Amino acid sequence: MISLSLLRKRLALPRTSWQLCLLAAIGGTASALLVVLFTFSIETIQSFYLSQKDNYTSLDALSRFHLPIVGGLVILLFAWLTGYQYLRTGIPFVLHRLKVANGIIPLRNTLNQFFGSVVALASGFSVGKEGPAIHLGAACSSYIGNKLNLPFNTIRTLCACGIAAGISACFNTPIAAVIFVMEVILREYKVHIFIPVMIASLTGSMITRSLLGPTHEFGYFNKISLSFHHYPALVILGLILGLLAYGFNRYLVLIIKYSSSIPIVTRIMLAALITGTLGFFVPFAMGTDLSAITFALNNNLHLQLLLVLLFAKILMTITALGLGIPGGIIGPIIGIGAIAGTCVSVLVTGYLPGENLAGDYALMGMAGFLAATLNAPLAALLTVVELSNQLEVVVPAMIVITTACVFSGQFFKNRSVFVMQLEQQGLKYRKSPIEKSLQRIGVLGVLQENINVYQQECSVEVLSSLKNIELLNHVIIESAPKTENLSSYSTFSWLKIAHDPITERVEIVQLQLLPLPSQSTLAEAYLALIEQRDGGVYIYDNDPNEILGIITFEQIRSYLLEGKTTV
């Protein structure tokens, strides 16, 4: 049986292993079960006052007005109990924690995400389930890795696995979940990460299918009938969606910007008041995307009614998310795109061939608006393929997606809504290329363990008299703490051989070693040594006074220049 210490050393290296795959499956299972519990909680609450899930038209107009206000008060009550500073949740927050904390997410933020989003989704706010699913999946899987004291590079991978499992459990789209993680969350494709993420996504989908059934909420799309005669209209649809995505992102960020100085209680209640007022007049705009899409597709609405529904859905979404209601953005984006596509289908009906233009154009609208808003074309493409179960959507969807992304990005400088939110909220999300590269390797995988630790009484002069001077590369001198405080660190110094190229003399240089926890990656070691560009760090596990090994700056330099470390 492999020991935990040996397991941690193996996981510290960026390699695919059965141990990492097993952890991905465990983390994916736990994350998916938590997301299923989240979904059941929403449906259970809704069952007390709705005739069916997300059908807010079964309520009278006054109840639709009151429901979001009551929900806002409950959200504030729970936020007060856990601390308002922990109210920040969602995909942007997860991206931020991946960069600054290796995916480790505070428990109170996760509690606010679970209970706050359950209340928000049950009370009619125009937010989605996938944002909470991503947050809950990331928190659950990273919690397992952190409890096992695994290296930070492994915890980041497990965090990505939890995100994939959460999305897969939420939408039952395992392929799109994997691509979303790689394209939007991690922004890189590495085999040693790709395979565990696939396993976690598969696990999430299997759990959803076993507990909720093999179908998903978008199973009403019929066989697509878009021929090449529709391609010019699809290009126009892509242009409209690109413009719409730019406006959506811009005004969402503006609301975040100008509401940041408003007290949280005022912001939440203002969002509730806007949602209640719009729900009073346009009930199908309330809730997630499912209600709005079903209404737009099944009622043969006039263009004016569709435009009213589109405007109400956009306004509900940007005010709810911009003012701080906990919930996701992808669900409402899918709904808005479907309504926009249905609007275009009304204009082309009678001029172009086809029997199900509303459903076909709604599907294309979902793809284009999702791609342009998130700047994730491949994830959007695979999402509509899996939601519709049709490979025939690939070519028309690619036309809409490429048109929308190029038009939105080229002419309006539109970017991912998550990046814009992070920048506006002042959350760090960028790392230098060097740090990103070094984050992939844990210090336990490359530390030098063949060392000799001597007490301070063994002076440098005595050590320099050793015949085999090369031994000094493995000599560490320990100096006991000056005080009796148990939290004080011992001082470790590394005796290094220095060759003077001018005099050709060999000297012994004593350099102080800096302490670094065993969960760290080479990125933390690099940042600790970058100023002096010499010396090294010593690695400890639980007790800072017990040295496990050292990593020198030369090892880090070797990896950056040659792609490998020298031990």
Side-chain angles (χ1 to χ4, degrees), residues 42 45 75 99 109 125-126 129 174 202 285 318 355 389 408 421 455 467 518 534 553 559-560:
I42 298 169
I45 294 175
I75 291 172
K99 295 299 181 183
N109 291 86
F125 286 99
S126 183
K129 294 186 296 184
L202 175 63
I318 62 175
E355 298 179 355
N389 293 320
S408 179
Q421 285 180 277
Q455 296 296 325
K467 293 181 180 180
S518 60
D534 202 353
F553 188 76
Y559 175 76
L560 293 175

Side-chain angles (χ1 to χ4, degrees), residues 130-210:
E130 71 298 320
I134 288 173
H135 186 132
L136 296 173
C140 186
S141 290
S142 64
Y143 175 82
I144 293 174
N146 196 37
K147 277 299 179 181
L148 293 174
N149 202 30
L150 299 180
F152 285 143
N153 62 315
T154 303
I155 294 177
R156 291 179 72 249
T157 301
L158 290 179
C159 182
C161 292
I163 293 172
I167 298 174
S168 187
C170 188
F171 284 116
N172 197 9
T173 53
I175 300 176
V178 173
I179 300 303
F180 180 87
V181 169
M182 296 298 174
E183 189 174 35
V184 177
I185 303 298
L186 298 179
R187 296 187 175 187
E188 62 177 354
Y189 290 83
K190 299 293 181 182
V191 175
H192 71 279
I193 299 176
F194 197 89
I195 293 177
V197 169
M198 288 181 64
I199 293 173
S201 181
L202 175 63
T203 304
S205 179
M206 292 172 62
I207 289 175
T208 300
R209 289 171 183 265
S210 61

